[in-house]
Amino acid sequence: MLASLSAAAQTTAPITTLPVAEHAKEVALFQQELNAEYRNPAESPLPAKELKNFKGLPFFPLNSTARVQARFVRDSLAAPFEMETSTARRPMYRKYGDAYFTLDGQALKLTIYQSLDLIQKEGYQDYLFVPFTDRTNGHSSYGGGRYLDLRLGQIQNGQVVLDFNRAYNPFCAYGGNIPAPCRPPKTACP
């Protein structure tokens, strides 16, 4: 889902700076909240047997260069569609827009989606879903890709910060019965 772009298409603004210590604190809090959700039997996608021994999810080391500012382009014309999942379930989504950015010297684009089911649920009306694949898939992360969560308020003046330090494997990567795209964790970005 990561796609290369021509250099002409790349017009991302400078990265919004965030002190390394503050960034590390934000990412650590995200990881703690996600681990707490996985420990909670009412919310965890882990089978009971694995939940008993759960110590925490594996995370990549913090990489401050993996936090990028992207140019956001809204797509208000996209028709709703059935999102393909790892099961027969086909939830309704719509393309919300695209994020254009540079990471490791490569111009990239990610598509941002909005769930038509979640916009009807309290607390998720502004939730956005960003699935992506990278070189870690099938090796040190879930083969089907990882997710980033966004909230509408994070998109400001045609810009959005994507922090790949907050990427997570979908719930279905852990053997639960929740099909991909899996429900978002409660730790969606504020």
Side-chain angles (χ1 to χ4, degrees):
M1 291 181 206
L2 278 177
S4 295
L5 301 175
S6 68
Q10 176 206 353
T11 58
T12 50
I15 296 172
T16 303
T17 57
L18 184 66
V20 175
E22 186 178 335
H23 183 222
K25 187 177 176 180
E26 284 183 6
V27 171
L29 180 61
F30 168 79
Q31 292 172 352
Q32 290 167 5
E33 290 173 350
L34 192 59
N35 278 328
E37 188 171 338
Y38 274 67
R39 279 187 200 95
N40 182 344
E43 297 175 333
S44 182
L46 299 173
K49 179 179 166 186
E50 290 181 31
L51 184 59
K52 261 182 14 183
N53 300 319
F54 179 72
K55 302 278 187 255
L57 295 168
F59 293 102
F60 291 105
L62 182 71
N63 178 355
S64 59
T65 65
R67 181 181 185 273
V68 298
Q69 186 155 338
R71 182 174 57 91
F72 174 75
V73 178
R74 176 81 164 96
D75 185 345
S76 59
L77 301 176
F81 67 96
E82 293 181 347
M83 176 78 72
E84 189 173 327
T85 70
S86 59
T87 70
R89 183 176 165 269
R90 299 289 183 258
M92 295 299 293
Y93 276 81
R94 69 176 173 187
K95 178 182 175 186
Y96 193 79
D98 293 308
Y100 297 88
F101 60 99
T102 300
L103 183 61
D104 294 332
Q106 187 175 8
L108 301 165
K109 174 182 106 173
L110 281 177
T111 300
I112 300 172
Y113 299 97
Q114 187 172 44
S115 167
L116 298 184
D117 291 332
L118 283 180
I119 61 174
Q120 298 175 38
K121 292 186 179 184
E122 186 67 35
Y124 291 101
Q125 296 90 341
D126 66 342
Y127 173 78
L128 299 171
F129 164 70
V130 187
F132 69 95
T133 58
D134 63 17
R135 292 182 302 263
T136 69
N137 300 130
H139 304 286
S140 50
S141 69
Y142 180 58
R146 291 184 292 153
Y147 299 163
L148 287 175
D149 297 327
L150 295 175
R151 296 290 185 151
L152 291 175
Q154 290 177 261
I155 300 170
Q156 296 180 2
N157 301 317
Q159 302 289 312
V160 63
V161 173
L162 302 175
D163 189 347
F164 293 95
N165 293 286
R166 299 180 115 189
Y168 62 93
N169 289 324
F171 279 9
C172 40
Y174 299 101
N177 295 321
I178 305 167
C182 309
R183 69 179 176 85
K186 288 187 175 177
T187 56
C189 299

